[in-house]
Amino acid sequence: RDPFGGAAWVVQPFPGAAMDLFGDLRRMNKRQLYYQVLNFAMIVSSALMIWKGLIVITGSESPIVVVLSGSMEPAFHRGDLLFLTNFHDDPIRAGEIVVFKVEGRDIPIVHRVIKIHEKENGNIKFLTKGDNNEVDDRGLYKEGQNWLEKKDVVGRARGFLPYVGMVTIIMNDYPKFKYALLAVMGAYVLLKRES
């Protein structure tokens, strides 16, 4: 009871909410539980099929990427979501914004092509630089590499949505938040009942 004579309020901490979640699971019969698990698997497989379809349509191994740094400001800001294509018959030109991977780095880099070196046999090599950087990217390439080649390109920016990718950045910076969000989403899908 509280000091003013009224009824005391009891606030359940998170573990109580988790117990309710397990209680919901126990109340489901096996058929409902299987249905919910299949529903969850269908959502995951649908997302994977959409992703693979985008890969085929765009020609890029990663058709959507998030800008992780401010090196391309003011063109793109941290958290912008980029849409990429990578058609091999379309030549790379100076001024284009490309996403490339270099040996020894896991994360692709989004920078602008500033110089093209075209050989007589049609092979093209190019140099990149971030719009907000003072120097070109030769310091980012693997040791002894002065130019990028077409094989290094993941895709070319064709459009973007500003700041939509901040959720991805937050989940990468705070892994516990990512796992908590995934657990809540998974629990919601498993426990949501059809009315």
Side-chain angles (χ1 to χ4, degrees):
R1 297 184 68 72
D2 72 0
F4 301 108
W9 291 92
V10 177
V11 177
Q12 284 266 330
F14 182 75
M19 294 309 286
D20 287 344
L21 197 110
F22 291 119
D24 283 347
L25 271 176
R26 272 188 249 122
R27 282 191 291 276
M28 282 185 181
N29 64 35
K30 284 184 181 180
R31 186 178 199 154
Q32 286 175 321
L33 186 61
Y34 291 145
Y35 175 76
Q36 295 304 92
V37 168
L38 284 173
N39 195 18
F40 182 70
M42 191 171 69
I43 290 169
V44 170
S45 62
S46 295
L48 288 172
M49 285 190 299
I50 290 170
W51 183 255
K52 289 295 184 182
L54 284 173
I55 289 172
V56 169
I57 291 167
T58 62
S60 174
E61 68 185 62
S62 189
I64 300 171
V65 295
V66 176
V67 178
L68 298 177
S69 74
S71 66
M72 278 302 293
E73 290 180 5
F76 300 123
H77 298 276
R78 190 169 192 253
D80 287 355
L81 196 69
L82 298 182
F83 301 101
L84 309 179
T85 62
N86 194 21
F87 302 119
H88 293 287
D89 55 344
D90 193 12
I92 293 173
R93 296 292 171 225
E96 277 191 298
I97 296 169
V98 296
V99 177
F100 61 92
K101 274 181 134 176
V102 290
E103 195 176 307
R105 292 183 181 266
D106 295 331
I107 299 172
I109 300 167
V110 180
H111 282 174
R112 189 179 304 276
V113 175
I114 57 169
K115 287 183 185 174
I116 297 283
H117 180 69
E118 196 165 352
K119 294 184 177 177
E120 289 178 18
N121 64 2
N123 286 348
I124 295 175
K125 293 186 176 186
F126 54 93
L127 182 63
T128 56
K129 177 185 170 298
D131 290 356
N132 201 22
N133 292 350
E134 295 293 322
V135 296
D136 62 42
D137 291 341
R138 286 187 174 133
L140 298 175
Y141 304 159
K142 72 178 181 180
E143 191 175 329
Q145 183 179 7
N146 291 323
W147 299 87
L148 291 176
E149 297 177 22
K150 191 110 172 170
K151 66 177 177 58
D152 299 315
V153 175
V154 174
R156 293 184 250 183
R158 299 298 186 202
F160 76 103
L161 285 174
Y163 303 111
V164 175
M166 285 307 288
V167 174
T168 302
I169 291 174
I170 291 167
M171 287 197 303
N172 282 337
D173 289 350
Y174 304 100
K176 288 180 184 176
F177 174 75
K178 173 172 61 177
Y179 297 125
L181 184 65
L182 290 172
V184 168
M185 287 170 45
Y188 174 77
V189 170
L190 286 174
L191 298 176
K192 182 177 171 271
R193 295 182 188 187
E194 296 292 325
S195 43

